[in-house]
């Protein structure tokens, strides 16, 4: 029996320590869960089998997310069916009641559900857009299925292996060894694999961060060398082989976070100097980074608000400006879930500007649909996750949780990530994996 006053949460001061001590999963055989939490009895043979299927499916989902939307959907059906058939309903009900991350995610979905009852959405748009946010409903399910350390460890390694496969295929495509085929979306000049460049670079940016922390927390020198090599290959891939500005910004943020976590302000200064040196080199070497940064600078300098946009950067600035206008016109309840396309069309009617179904900014998109309250809940969700990361019991989970939040905050500034399948599902899946042992009452006792 554990003598810890709050099983599943670190002792006073340990949450902050997890950012500095460099220990990983192997430092504790049960790094985030007390024995009581791990030994949950599943009643009945059928229920045990359903739980087994659901837990292995949620592990497989980590491997599937970077690769296949179709396989994702099959696994989500198996996860939902297994979760429903595995019993333990009182325990499952306690998760959204006791876990503040789950509760806040459900509150955001509830606002979006209410948003379907009003607004200016065209026929079918309300249901279509609400369906895009159903990943939020899976967070409590993932939290339940990731209730033991072994499942989380296996799932994280499955995700790391999937990213390694994508990375290897990208290099093979670049080398011309893997020819273009129906399963690959690119060629040697554009070596992405299963996803388009924006998603590919987001995955590689987070992957580099994941591999770096796996290297830092590994005990074996051989394993440490493997993770380090994968981190370096991911950085080269996203900066020198594939263009994707969102991925560049996320990598910048994660590199600075890594530097700060390792050495506080001195580490942050070292990371900033390293990034500046890398950017200086990439800026003068012909390649995707140079091309994309030069085009962004040129395009943004030529933007004029009163003139219809002509290129990618101008379109984004135009979308942001007009969406802010929609929010100003409907600050309290927005234009309704799924009402953005119609609301934007009305905003730009007669101006010659291009209509869009997505402002390419999740914060603006949520505010435009369900008002300032929706934006406040989204910001609170991210802030809550950042704040609770320091209380996670494993140093690795602590750092990955912070990296997930930073990835989402930066990514949502340039894209509607919760609306996108891969990014939205990855966020829900990692949230379930990393925050499965957080409880509201325990947090209240710590404050």
């Amino acid at each position: 029996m554990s003598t810890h006053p709050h099983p599943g949460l670190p002792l006073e001061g340990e949450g902050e320590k997890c950012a500095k001590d460099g220990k990983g999963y192997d430092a504790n055989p049960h790094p985030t869960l007390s024995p009581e939490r791990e030994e949950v009895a599943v009643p009945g043979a059928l229920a045990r089998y359903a739980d087994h299927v659901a837990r292995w499916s949620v592990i497989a989902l980590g491997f599937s997310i970077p690769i296949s939307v179709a396989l994702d959907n099959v696994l989500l059906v198996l996860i939902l069916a297994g979760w429903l058939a595995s019993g333990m309903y009182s325990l499952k009900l306690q998760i959204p009641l006791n876990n503040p991350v789950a509760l806040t995610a459900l509150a955001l979905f509830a606002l979006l559900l209410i948003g379907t009852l009003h607004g200016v959405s065209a026929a079918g748009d309300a249901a279509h857009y609400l369906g895009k946010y159903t990943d939020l409903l899976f967070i409590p399910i993932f939290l339940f299925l990731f209730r033991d350390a072994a499942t989380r460890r296996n799932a994280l390694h499955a995700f790391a292996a999937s990213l390694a496969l994508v990375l290897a295929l990208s290099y093979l495509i670049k080398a011309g060894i893997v020819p273009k085929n129906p399963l690959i979306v690119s060629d040697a000049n554009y070596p992405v694999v299963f996803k388009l460049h924006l998603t590919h670079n987001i995955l590689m940016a987070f992957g580099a961060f994941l591999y770096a922390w796996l290297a830092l927390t590994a005990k074996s020198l051989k394993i440490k060398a493997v993770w380090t090599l994968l981190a370096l290959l991911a950085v080269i891939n996203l900066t020198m082989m594939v263009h994707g500005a969102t991925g560049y910004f996320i990598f910048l943020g994660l590199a600075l976070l890594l530097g700060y976590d390792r050495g506080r302000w001195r580490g942050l200064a070292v990371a900033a100097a390293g990034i500046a040196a890398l950017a200086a080199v990439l800026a003068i070497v012909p390649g995707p980074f140079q091309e994309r940064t030069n085009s962004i600078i040129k395009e943004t300098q030529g933007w004029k608000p009163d003139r219809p946009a002509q290129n990618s950067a101008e379109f984004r600035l135009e979308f942001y400006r007009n969406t802010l206008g929609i929010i100003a016109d409907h600050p309290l309840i927005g234009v309704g879930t799924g009402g953005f396309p119609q609301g934007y069309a009305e905003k730009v009617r007669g101006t010659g500007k291009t209509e869009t179904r997505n402002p390419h900014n999740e914060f603006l998109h949520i505010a435009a649909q369900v008002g300032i309250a929706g934006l406040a809940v989204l910001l609170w969700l991210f802030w809550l996750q950042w704040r609770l990361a320091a209380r996670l019991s494993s140093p690795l989970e602590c750092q990955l949780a912070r990296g997930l939040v930073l990835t989402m905050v930066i990514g949502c500034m340039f894209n509607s990530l919760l609306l996108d399948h891969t990014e939205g599902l990855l966020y829900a899946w990692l949230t379930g994996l990393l925050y499965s042992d957080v409880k509201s009452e325990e947090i209240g006792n710590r404050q």
Side-chain angles (χ1 to χ4, degrees), residues 5 16 21 46 62 89 91 103 111 122 182 196 259 276 308 331 347 363 386:
E16 288 71 19
D21 60 14
L46 179 60
Y89 300 116
L91 180 61
L103 188 62
L111 283 176
L196 297 179
K347 189 70 176 176
F363 301 110
W386 179 271

Side-chain angles (χ1 to χ4, degrees), residues 76-100:
L76 286 171
V77 170
L78 290 175
I79 288 167
L80 180 59
W83 180 80
L84 289 172
S86 61
M88 300 175 287
Y89 300 116
S90 62
L91 180 61
K92 291 171 181 175
L93 182 61
Q94 291 174 22
I95 289 178
L97 296 178
N98 293 335
N99 189 303

Side-chain angles (χ1 to χ4, degrees), residues 295-313:
S295 67
I296 290 174
I297 293 171
K298 182 179 179 181
E299 291 169 2
T300 54
Q301 288 177 340
W303 180 63
K304 294 181 179 180
D306 57 344
R307 186 189 67 187
Q310 303 295 321
N311 51 60
S312 176

Side-chain angles (χ1 to χ4, degrees), residues 60-61 63-77 79 195 421-422 425:
L61 186 61
F63 189 85
S64 173
I65 288 173
I67 294 175
S68 172
V69 174
L71 182 56
D72 289 345
N73 291 332
V74 171
L75 290 170
L76 286 171
V77 170
I79 288 167
K195 309 293 180 180
H421 171 83
T422 299
L425 182 56

Side-chain angles (χ1 to χ4, degrees), residues 332-348:
L332 297 180
I333 60 174
V335 294
T337 302
F340 180 82
Q342 190 71 19
Y344 194 90
E346 294 177 2
K347 189 70 176 176
V348 301

